[in-house]
Amino acid sequence: MRSILKTSAAAMAILAATLGGASADGLTGNLKIFLDTSNPAPRATMEEMIAQFGEKNPDLTIETTVIDREAYKTQIRNFLTANAPDVANWYAANRMRPYVEAGLFEDVSDLWADPEIAENLASTKGALTIDGKQWGVPYTYYQWGVYYRKDIFDELGLSEPATWEEEKANCQKILDAGKKCYTIGTKFLWTAGGWFDYLNMRTNGFDFHMDLLTGKASWQSDEVRKTFANWRELIDMGAFIDNHQTYSWQEALPFMVKGDAAAYLMGNFAVAPLRDAGLTDDQIDFYQFVEITPGVEKAEDAPTDTFHIPSNAQNKEAAREFLKFVVSPDVQTQINDGKHLGQLPVNAKSSVDDDKFLIEGFEMLSTNAPGGVAQFFDRDAPAEMAKVAMEGLQEFMVKPDNLDKILTRLDRARERIYK
Amino acid sequence: MAQASAAASRQTSWWHQNQQRLTPWLFLAPGILFFLFYVIFPIFQSFNLSLYEWDGLGKAEFVGLYNYEELYWDDAFYTSLKNNVIWLLLYLAAIPAGLFIALFLNQTVTGIRLYKSLFFFPFVISQVVVGLVFTWFYDPTFGILNVLLGAVGLPPVNVLGDENWVTVGIIVAGLWPQTAYCMILYLTGLNAVDPEQIEAGRLDGAKGWRMLWYIIVPQLRPATFIAFVVTIIGALRSFDLISVMTNGGPFGASRVLSFYMFEVALSEYGFRMGYGAAIAVVLFLIMLAFIAYFLWSMYKEEKAR
Amino acid sequence: MFPTPIERTSRAWQISYQTLLPLALILWLLPLIAVAIFSVKPDSDFANANYWGWPSSFEGFTNYALVFTGSDMPQYLLNSFKITIPTVIGAVTLSCMTGFALGVYKFKANIWIFFMFVAGNFVPFQILMVPVRDLTLQMGLYNTITGLVLFHVAFQTGFCTLFMRNFIRALPFELIEAARVEGIAEWRIFWYVVLPLMKPAIAALSVLIFTFIWNDYFWAVVLTQGVESQPVTAGITSFNAQYRAAYHLMSAGSIVAALPPVAMFFLMQRHFIAGLTLGAVK
């Protein structure tokens, strides 16, 4: 571990030197960084990366504040206006829109004009673009998909499904064996958004899904009803664990660990806690969410996490250098490897770590997602709509009979929010 | 020099004459200023803000009564309002419950002082902790509630996941400290009950419930009044427990106005400051009815002195 | 005395009362006892579904040590003290003055000012949320202990004034009259005559406000955001996010967070109850 760090630090130093010292020629002053990476592994990763940046810029005083991940989501609006740092992390797409529109994020299109970034980060450019300008840089992204207990599948003689019929047939066998098909914890709502994303993108395709989340399509349309009808098939089978509305996503993990549920539709960050809980890589595996409507091109959720410069930042020069540093190929390789974030690098020149989930996820996103890449329900829809809608999704999962009421409510919210 | 001292003495005498009139204002000034600045003005600011649409970031836009019109159409608002009423009604159970525990403890056996203070204990603990503990009690997988229900042959209930039970479940958690509070009020009140009246009652043959209802309870009026005031205020302010136990869920079924207001204005997905302020105004108007009643009671008492 | 004193009842009832008492107490405090037991359990008890049974081994030291070394709890605790103590001092000082002014002097606006304080105190404080947050942001006090303290002092002044004013009203007014006849300046009457008599009220109010402020969660969430300024009630939720589903650690953390007001209550019990029940007897 240590030697790897040393080599990569050394590599960085060489890299910096070969770049002609453009970035190393003495940034001075203070650089205040706010982070939401409060979980142990991401926190250590960020601190290590920042220390490396500090070594390159000895005259720069860097002050890092790590805020609890959940608390950060509500506090960002306060510190952006009152007590702005020079760099803050956040999420792409509509999740950054309120701050962009309020003029609280700095336009960093100049960074994206640099071919180094423009070419190597092309795949995520769209997620950071609002009104034709770029408002930050990505630093990591990760795939979503079905993580399942391979040992249970083997025991029941199941294989990875590819179609909706196979998915349901598998599920029925799991249920017959006295287990639940899927674990989920919807107390904080967003997990239900993941299910809807996939069901809707597979039933109606990426473009319709985006139309719906941007307010162009109606929640009472036939397309949406078809999605919910598919979802209802699973609910009526009893595919999901009971009482999911009282659990957080972490509290839903033990069901899978103990073998009471066979699979979890989740982001790749679920792998680490599953491993920590004692499951080996032979016991967990991953498959892409199945096809539902034949012919609909597969699209995927791959949320992108980002760095931004607040408009009220004091040291924008250093902040820009920091952003460039974060997206550079070596740093990207390092921070996203299995020992650090365990996610995917955003720079095309970086290498994906030798981890079966990362490799599979990278494959899937680069070759098997022709429909498009979505950010996630609550990042693609405006915040208010996301909240109302995800609450409706949770209600649907518990009380599927309320569907009409829920959809009417969502359409009324749509008329207000997107006006 | 002489002139200066003359001026000084004139000043002293002016001060002397007006001392009685000015002193209270000097003493009041810091308190009043603080209170006006942080409590009274913000109330009016909330009224004003409720006429605007504002995301807390950009410019506020005047929209008149639009936020109130939105409230009228908002199901979540009615859910919150309904839950507030349930809170108000069920929370009042703390008063009789507190009275009965007080009666139970109103003895002079050895160690009763310690018992009384241990019974009072829940009130001292943060609601955040109370909420956490009750969440574990209700947990559908391992909670002791379902263990107990199972023992007497009843089916399990997911209290915090069921939209019909969730508010009741949270209120029960809230009743625990609130009952302790009412108990202590009544214990003090019982100390002051007139023994002669009790004896007189006994001579008249009053016993048990009749004694309690006709002789004791009327004498406990001051304690009951305060218990009523603090319980009503507590019910309308309920926030901590909901935030810790359910975060308003499932699908918003456990919201109350104070929580909903926070949610729309300042939570993760909430950016509607004006709308939040409009909810605050409604809550304030409900409270105003009670405040007016409290003040009226106090006013009458002042006059009677 | 009501109900009938136990000494005057039948032997059977006396015995059943004596046994009922501890049983009722255990039942009443069951939630707390559960947390206390949770907090000394080993991790494995929860993995083995031994939730409500006896701990399989005593891990109290390990668990509590982890609360203090493996998290920001010490900082949160310190913040709580830094918030609570200045608030108590500030609110009690201000209300001694306002209580004196309203309790001793007769002037036209007296009752209306008093009612302003009382009404403000009864207001559902959530109505102040948005404006107070903005105010604090504008003053540059957002996410500072000072910002939180200033607001708490102001808001608690309402309740404290109600309390102090009623207390001073009950003092013998002749003392003040006598002092006035002697020609003693008004502020000296406050300092040398009234204040010494207010000692029990000051003690009662201090412990009461200490508990209120220590247990505040709402304003901590609205006005502060990080480890550097949040009190322990808000800190415990981050702590719980860090150790989600680690019930033994969450329990230990909760007990640590709840301890200071509990200690305060036991040390100052008589004052505490005197404070709470002021006005319950007339």
Side-chain angles (χ1 to χ4, degrees), chain A residues 71-94:
Chain A
Y72 192 93
K73 292 174 182 168
T74 61
Q75 290 163 358
I76 181 168
R77 66 186 81 174
N78 300 328
F79 65 67
L80 286 183
T81 45
N83 174 27
D86 300 302
V87 173
N89 72 330
W90 192 234
Y91 312 113
N94 251 329

Side-chain angles (χ1 to χ4, degrees), chain B residues 83-144:
Chain B
N83 284 336
N84 260 122
V85 174
I86 298 177
W87 267 89
L88 276 176
L89 294 177
L90 293 189
Y91 219 46
L92 288 177
I95 297 175
L99 175 61
F100 283 109
I101 295 180
L103 289 172
F104 178 64
L105 292 178
N106 195 30
Q107 293 292 352
T108 44
V109 297
T110 36
I112 195 74
R113 277 185 59 93
L114 186 65
Y115 274 109
K116 286 178 184 170
S117 46
L118 284 173
F119 262 91
F120 182 62
F121 218 87
F123 181 73
V124 196
I125 295 167
S126 154
Q127 298 227 330
V128 176
V129 176
V130 173
L132 200 65
V133 180
F134 274 84
T135 310
W136 295 341
F137 266 51
Y138 293 141
D139 189 289
T141 1
F142 67 80
I144 203 163

Side-chain angles (χ1 to χ4, degrees), chain C:
Chain C
M1 197 167 158
F2 185 85
T4 316
I6 204 82
E7 314 84 69
R8 283 205 258 149
T9 56
S10 71
R11 184 95 193 111
W13 171 238
Q14 281 187 29
I15 293 171
S16 35
Y17 182 76
Q18 295 279 11
T19 41
L20 220 57
L21 211 48
L23 283 181
L25 181 69
I26 289 173
L27 202 66
W28 183 243
L29 292 183
L30 205 58
L32 278 183
I33 296 167
V35 190
I37 294 178
F38 268 32
S39 76
V40 299
K41 280 188 166 205
D43 197 9
S44 58
D45 274 8
F46 296 100
N48 300 329
N50 173 18
Y51 287 103
W52 305 101
W54 203 244
S56 62
S57 64
F58 179 81
E59 297 296 335
F61 294 113
T62 338
N63 295 346
Y64 283 92
L66 200 71
V67 169
F68 281 100
T69 56
S71 74
D72 293 320
M73 277 306 247
Q75 181 66 41
Y76 287 128
L77 280 170
L78 184 69
N79 291 344
S80 272
F81 280 110
K82 284 204 228 161
I83 292 164
T84 310
I85 293 170
T87 304
V88 169
I89 296 173
V92 170
T93 310
L94 284 185
S95 63
C96 278
M97 291 161 59
T98 51
F100 173 74
L102 295 174
V104 169
Y105 298 91
K106 293 191 170 62
F107 55 101
K108 234 190 202 147
N110 186 316
I111 190 97
W112 299 109
I113 293 174
F114 180 57
F115 278 4
M116 175 192 81
F117 280 118
V118 176
N121 168 57
F122 286 159
V123 158
F125 47 64
Q126 285 90 354
I127 194 176
L128 312 176
M129 173 182 80
V130 175
V132 167
R133 177 182 155 275
D134 280 349
L135 207 65
T136 310
L137 276 169
Q138 280 161 18
M139 293 192 295
L141 293 175
Y142 181 79
N143 194 28
T144 62
I145 286 173
T146 322
L148 199 53
V149 167
L150 285 179
F151 172 76
H152 277 319
V153 167
F155 191 73
Q156 294 302 331
T157 300
F159 171 74
C160 295
T161 302
L162 165 68
F163 187 100
M164 287 298 191
R165 182 259 192 193
N166 285 350
F167 187 86
I168 292 172
R169 273 277 155 112
L171 293 175
F173 196 67
E174 302 81 57
L175 278 176
I176 297 162
E177 296 278 82
R180 280 195 182 142
V181 171
E182 302 259 320
I184 297 172
E186 295 293 315
W187 71 269
R188 298 178 67 112
I189 295 181
F190 171 67
W191 192 257
Y192 292 107
V193 180
V194 178
L195 212 51
L197 295 171
M198 283 162 74
K199 272 183 193 151
I202 293 173
L205 207 49
S206 302
V207 275
L208 214 55
I209 299 298
F210 183 93
T211 323
F212 288 168
I213 300 301
W214 186 280
N215 289 337
D216 164 70
Y217 173 69
F218 183 80
W219 291 104
V221 175
V222 172
L223 296 182
T224 57
Q225 64 185 14
V227 183
E228 64 279 10
S229 57
Q230 274 195 322
V232 73
T233 40
I236 190 87
T237 52
S238 320
F239 179 83
N240 289 347
Q242 190 181 346
Y243 294 103
R244 201 176 288 280
Y247 297 101
H248 53 305
L249 297 178
M250 287 160 76
S251 301
S254 302
I255 287 192
V256 169
L259 223 48
V262 168
M264 195 68 157
F265 166 63
F266 270 100
L267 290 175
M268 311 273 288
Q269 211 187 114
R270 193 174 323 152
H271 293 303
F272 193 98
I273 291 175
L276 272 183
T277 54
L278 182 94
V281 206
K282 269 277 155 63

